[in-house]
Amino acid sequence: MSALELNKTYFIETFKKIADMAEQNRDHLSQLDSDIGDGDHGINLTIGFREVSKQLDILSDTTADIAELMKKVGMILLSKVGGASGPLYGSFFMKMANHTVGKQSVTFKEFCQMYQDGVEAVQMRGKAELNDKTMIDALIPGLNVLKHYQEEDDPIKTLETCVSEMKKGSDNTINLIAKKGRSMRLGERAIGHRDAGSESAWMIMNEFLKQLKLEK
Ligand code: ADP
Ligand code: MG
């Protein structure tokens, strides 16, 4: 395989796409959250990524490496978003910096490691396990795919599988009782409703996939 390198521009362009995706899906994500939460998930994501988007040109010029970019994006989400998802996605992106210090580009294998670091941070902060009806139910099935990526595999196919497994994970939340987050208080009444964060999680990774398809 030719060594695919994902540079800072790849991440900047992906964040632009995520910001657009959040705007376009704001009502959909808030609707899911209003069924079993407080109805603000789409608004929270939009607020966070709108601010990220506003600062991207500056971040593109002022960040020394991928690590600094990811840290700053994570910090914006952490500081601008009021809901639970702000700190969780904030930690996700901040921890993606762990293995990228001094790097101007990463291989797809390194990208898989970044994703793993991010998911571990969400678990560390939110303490949710699989089947607690949270974004973890999408993030973990995705991780199970990326963990097994080998250098000879096709990155696009791998990320496609990752996103489709994340979607299935989100589908699985429909039949679950929540053990974390606001929908916990609903008990059995949460059954029949999809968790909003599991939906936004696969949608975010889908934007990484779309941008990957444009890289060559
Ligand atoms: P809030 O719940 O504060 O209103 P949001 O509506 O923005 O915040 O986000 C809700 C989403 O956050 C849920 O759908 C769920 O996926 C996720 N979430 C909540 N608590 C946790 C947790 N402890 N661990 C992982 N994800 C969580
Ligand atoms: Mg909410």
Side-chain angles (χ1 to χ4, degrees):
M1 279 301 291
S2 64
L4 171 77
E5 290 282 335
L6 302 172
N7 59 18
K8 231 169 64 178
T9 309
Y10 166 75
F11 291 95
I12 301 259
E13 292 303 316
T14 302
F15 285 125
K16 284 186 194 160
K17 283 188 152 61
I18 295 173
D20 289 345
M21 178 283 286
E23 299 282 350
Q24 282 156 23
N25 290 281
R26 191 186 68 168
D27 294 347
H28 166 62
L29 292 170
S30 285
Q31 180 58 50
L32 291 178
D33 190 35
S34 75
D35 291 340
I36 50 171
D38 58 353
D40 64 354
H41 187 55
I43 297 168
N44 287 338
L45 274 195
T46 306
I47 292 172
F49 282 101
R50 210 177 265 173
E51 189 61 30
V52 167
S53 172
K54 241 199 262 174
Q55 298 196 31
L56 277 179
D57 286 343
I58 304 170
L59 290 180
S60 167
D61 292 342
T62 58
T63 51
D65 51 22
I66 292 175
E68 203 183 339
L69 172 67
M70 302 315 278
K71 263 191 218 154
K72 294 215 161 138
V73 167
M75 273 157 52
I76 294 170
L77 295 176
L78 208 91
S79 64
K80 292 283 169 187
V81 183
S85 62
L88 291 167
Y89 280 132
S91 316
F92 178 75
F93 289 115
M94 272 170 75
K95 284 294 157 71
M96 278 190 156
N98 267 9
H99 287 85
T100 57
V101 178
K103 287 192 177 19
Q104 299 303 322
S105 66
V106 292
T107 62
F108 188 73
K109 183 89 189 149
E110 289 170 324
F111 174 79
C112 295
Q113 178 66 52
M114 290 172 75
Y115 177 84
Q116 176 163 351
D117 292 338
V119 175
E120 283 171 4
V122 173
Q123 277 207 290
M124 193 106 88
R125 188 174 266 265
K127 309 270 183 281
E129 302 290 341
L130 201 62
N131 295 332
D132 283 353
K133 200 176 179 100
T134 70
M135 60 174 73
I136 284 295
D137 293 335
L139 292 170
I140 298 275
L143 178 57
N144 289 338
V145 175
L146 295 193
K147 253 186 189 168
H148 294 109
Y149 171 77
Q150 305 282 324
E151 310 277 322
E152 61 271 20
D153 297 340
D154 178 6
I156 291 177
K157 277 203 186 122
T158 303
L159 202 49
E160 268 170 354
T161 310
C162 166
V163 171
S164 75
E165 288 302 309
M166 291 180 81
K167 271 191 206 174
K168 284 187 209 158
S170 176
D171 291 346
N172 282 337
T173 67
I174 296 173
N175 293 318
L176 296 172
I177 293 174
K179 302 220 179 66
K180 284 278 181 301
R182 279 179 207 279
S183 42
M184 236 169 84
R185 67 195 154 77
L186 292 177
E188 303 233 323
R189 278 181 293 151
I191 295 176
H193 300 281
R194 180 187 301 275
D195 173 67
S198 71
E199 181 90 330
S200 62
W202 77 254
M203 286 179 151
I204 287 174
M205 291 313 291
N206 194 39
E207 298 307 319
F208 279 94
L209 170 62
K210 285 188 197 163
Q211 189 60 33
L212 186 66
K213 287 179 175 168
L214 300 177
E215 297 288 307
K216 265 284 164 270

